[in-house]
Amino acid sequence: MVRAIADRIVTGYLRPGEKLDEVSLAARFDVSRTPVREALGQLSAIGLVERRPNRGAIVAVVTQQHLAAMFESMAELEAICARFSAERMTGSERRAMESEHEASARMVQLSAEEDYEHFNTEFHTRLYRGAHNAHIYEMAVVTRSRLAPFRRAQFMLPGRLAKSWQEHDVIVTAIMRGDAAAAGKAARDHVSIVSEASAVFAADDRKTFGRNVA
């Protein structure tokens, strides 16, 4: 339910400032109000929902400026993780990353968006773990969770699956070579491109986008 509501917010089906009625949402998802309330709490924690005392919840306004700031932070964190991964990943970790990356090419060929999305999450998690730094791992995971709905929505854009795979390929190649500088740059560039692809889903633009995909 959290994912379903988040996706409707990000793509503009639920507009910034729109009231999120617990009764209506419970009926829509055929659940009680308790899981709806919990879902809205989680969405509030990542900034997609604004909860107002005694007035209920509304869709938060996520501006391009705020989204860009979060992606800028994410780009630097992923650059650090990729750089450290090139230096610190074990042989088995490198081989596992390379193997899964190569297997994901089939998902791109089949336009298996949902499967690739799951792979993408695991790919980046491997990158964070490969840094072998618990504090950086935690910061990367927390920041990614706040951006997850926007990063997921990018795959709705034409040609984005193939481009994502190509960007991953540059990261994997650098890590396999042990080239920390190249891996860091590739990861930073990748997230910067994701940021640009996701910008259409910020409050400034998603009203129009929502109409286009409706």
Side-chain angles (χ1 to χ4, degrees):
M1 184 191 308
V2 173
R3 172 171 173 165
I5 298 174
D7 286 347
R8 295 181 74 82
I9 291 174
V10 169
T11 55
Y13 287 105
L14 294 172
R15 307 297 174 84
E18 185 173 337
K19 184 176 181 180
L20 297 168
D21 181 67
E22 292 182 4
V23 175
S24 298
L25 289 171
R28 180 178 186 83
F29 293 103
D30 194 24
V31 296
S32 69
R33 292 178 64 180
T34 298
V36 171
R37 194 173 298 118
E38 293 172 349
L40 293 179
Q42 292 180 50
L43 292 170
S44 176
I46 64 174
L48 287 181
V49 166
E50 179 183 344
R51 305 186 84 174
R52 306 166 301 170
N54 305 316
R55 291 190 295 168
I58 62 171
V59 176
V61 176
V62 181
T63 65
Q64 284 189 353
Q65 182 178 12
H66 181 62
L67 189 60
M70 288 195 291
F71 268 112
E72 183 177 49
S73 300
M74 188 79 261
E76 294 306 315
L77 285 168
E78 294 221 12
I80 293 170
C81 288
R83 191 171 72 247
F84 283 177
S85 289
E87 297 171 340
R88 303 175 180 180
M89 264 188 170
T90 64
S92 61
E93 286 175 326
R94 293 172 199 265
R95 289 189 294 273
M97 170 173 273
E98 183 180 43
S99 175
E100 293 204 1
H101 165 63
E102 291 175 349
S104 71
R106 181 63 175 164
M107 302 174 198
V108 176
Q109 293 170 357
L110 296 174
S111 297
E113 181 183 311
E114 188 170 345
D115 289 341
Y116 186 84
E117 179 199 321
H118 289 307
F119 156 75
N120 186 60
T121 298
E122 179 59 25
F123 176 85
H124 286 274
T125 300
R126 283 184 181 278
L127 202 62
Y128 308 158
R129 289 185 181 136
H132 291 275
N133 182 305
H135 184 59
I136 291 174
Y137 173 84
E138 182 180 352
M139 288 193 295
V141 169
V142 170
T143 304
R144 183 180 177 83
S145 70
R146 294 180 67 86
L147 286 168
F150 294 96
R151 295 186 73 149
R152 184 166 62 244
Q154 67 170 307
F155 297 123
M156 297 176 65
L157 302 175
R160 184 60 203 147
L161 284 184
K163 291 177 182 177
S164 173
W165 190 91
Q166 291 164 4
E167 293 155 19
H168 285 179
D169 195 54
V170 178
I171 296 171
V172 172
T173 298
I175 289 175
M176 295 302 291
R177 288 202 315 257
D179 189 336
K185 181 181 184 303
R188 184 185 293 105
D189 290 347
H190 172 55
V191 178
S192 295
I193 293 170
V194 172
S195 175
E196 293 172 5
S198 303
V200 68
F201 301 105
D204 312 55
D205 293 323
R206 68 180 179 219
K207 189 172 182 179
T208 300
F209 183 84
R211 288 199 298 269
N212 290 339
V213 298

